[in-house]
Amino acid sequence: MRAFRSYPIIGAALAQLAAGVVVIAMRPALAGVIDAGSLFWASLGVQCAGAALVTRLLGLPVWWVWINLFFPAAMALALQAGDFPAWPFGVTFLVLYLVFSNTARERVPLYLSNRQTAEALVSVMQQRGARRFVDLGSGLGGVVRRLDGDGRIARGVESAPMVWLVSLLLSKLTGRGLILRQDIWAADIAGEDIVYAFLSPEPMPALYEKARREMKPGSLLVSNSFAVPDVEADEVWELPDRRKTRLYLYEMKGGAAAA
Ligand SMILES: C[S@@+](CC[C@H](N)C(=O)[O-])C[C@H]1O[C@@H](n2cnc3c(N)ncnc32)[C@H](O)[C@@H]1O
């Protein structure tokens, strides 16, 4: 089960395989009883429902259950459509890759901080008299553009190609913020006063280690929604927005040597 948590696609493929075995086993028994059309729909129904059920039993995240439920139906419909051109699939895949490439690699999808969060970050910087800010995994760069200016210098680091390109253009057009195409693990954060991240639970332990190793004493790691496991935050800000956003603030005490 642990392997499926790290590589859910393997669990999802196994679930489809298990449902396929059931379909193959049941078809001869049903073939003499129902007509070919009904047999097709019955097989499809068992494939979809069976794959979803096995996915659930394997404990995969809920979106894999939905994917496995609809994937066989989508395949069947595409095949039935006959000479449906192949290129929309290729283009869709390419666009999804260019936008969501970090979802598979880092378990970090693209979702954006809201306005209230950006305003709270402005308050954090004002309270601490902070000047330098970096958003690790800056998405479309909204936070960076809001934070830059009024004496503050804000950078964003983003590696998903299309997301980076759009945020770079927006930054150039508005003249706010600096967007770098870079992996967060290669980003230089030694000079930053505030390092902000809105990622996922997965990278939090490694991110905290990087912050502890590289950030200067007194600087702050701020994580939106995802706490660092087994580390008590110095402050937790709960925002009055609809999703009750929580910001976890970790003050750096003086590098790895001080830990
Ligand atoms: C949840 S979004 C947050 C976007 C933005 N920080 C905000 O709060 O609006 C996370 C972003 O991190 C990016 N990301 C994930 N892993 C990354 C990595 N290793 N290097 C650079 N960017 C990464 C994703 O592509 C995505 O755009």
Side-chain angles (χ1 to χ4, degrees), residues 132 134 136 187-196 207-222 250-256:
R132 293 184 58 97
V134 66
L136 293 182
D188 178 2
I189 55 174
E192 305 300 334
D193 299 314
I194 309 278
V195 171
Y196 173 65
L207 181 66
Y208 183 71
E209 270 317 299
K210 176 178 170 67
R212 209 166 59 85
R213 262 196 328 268
E214 300 176 19
M215 290 175 70
K216 61 191 179 193
S219 59
L220 206 61
L221 171 66
V222 181
Y250 301 90
E251 183 164 321
M252 295 300 128
K253 306 287 187 302

Side-chain angles (χ1 to χ4, degrees), residues 44-226:
L44 186 58
V46 171
Q47 182 70 42
C48 293
L53 179 67
V54 177
T55 310
R56 183 88 189 85
L57 293 176
L58 288 176
L60 265 58
V62 72
W63 58 84
W64 281 104
V65 178
W66 290 105
I67 290 171
N68 264 355
L69 181 65
F70 289 115
F71 180 70
M75 283 276 289
L77 289 178
L79 290 173
Q80 288 226 320
D83 55 358
F84 196 73
W87 65 264
F89 294 102
V91 171
T92 306
F93 178 80
L94 187 66
V95 170
L96 286 177
Y97 172 76
L98 293 175
V99 175
F100 293 109
S101 51
N102 287 315
T103 308
R105 206 163 52 96
E106 298 273 3
R107 307 263 181 283
V108 180
L110 174 66
Y111 33 72
L112 304 176
S113 296
N114 55 26
R115 201 171 40 81
Q116 289 94 330
T117 303
E119 295 311 322
L121 290 168
V122 171
S123 300
V124 172
M125 291 194 75
Q126 283 171 345
Q127 280 184 16
R128 304 180 68 90
R131 253 174 51 80
R132 293 184 58 97
F133 171 95
V134 66
D135 182 356
L136 293 182
S138 47
L140 295 175
V143 172
V144 174
R145 291 193 301 281
R146 173 63 188 97
L147 271 280
D148 194 67
D150 294 332
R152 296 180 298 265
I153 299 168
R155 287 190 304 140
V157 169
E158 174 58 53
S159 63
M162 198 176 275
V163 180
W164 162 77
L165 187 60
V166 171
S167 59
L168 178 74
L169 291 176
L170 289 171
S171 166
K172 295 266 184 235
L173 279 173
T174 56
R176 296 183 82 104
L178 175 68
I179 304 290
L180 301 175
R181 170 119 205 269
Q182 199 178 33
D183 193 284
I184 60 176
W185 306 114
D188 178 2
I189 55 174
E192 305 300 334
D193 299 314
I194 309 278
V195 171
Y196 173 65
F198 185 18
L199 298 171
S200 80
E202 182 92 0
M204 289 317 294
L207 181 66
Y208 183 71
E209 270 317 299
K210 176 178 170 67
R212 209 166 59 85
R213 262 196 328 268
E214 300 176 19
M215 290 175 70
K216 61 191 179 193
S219 59
L220 206 61
L221 171 66
V222 181
S223 173
N224 183 337
S225 304
F226 307 109

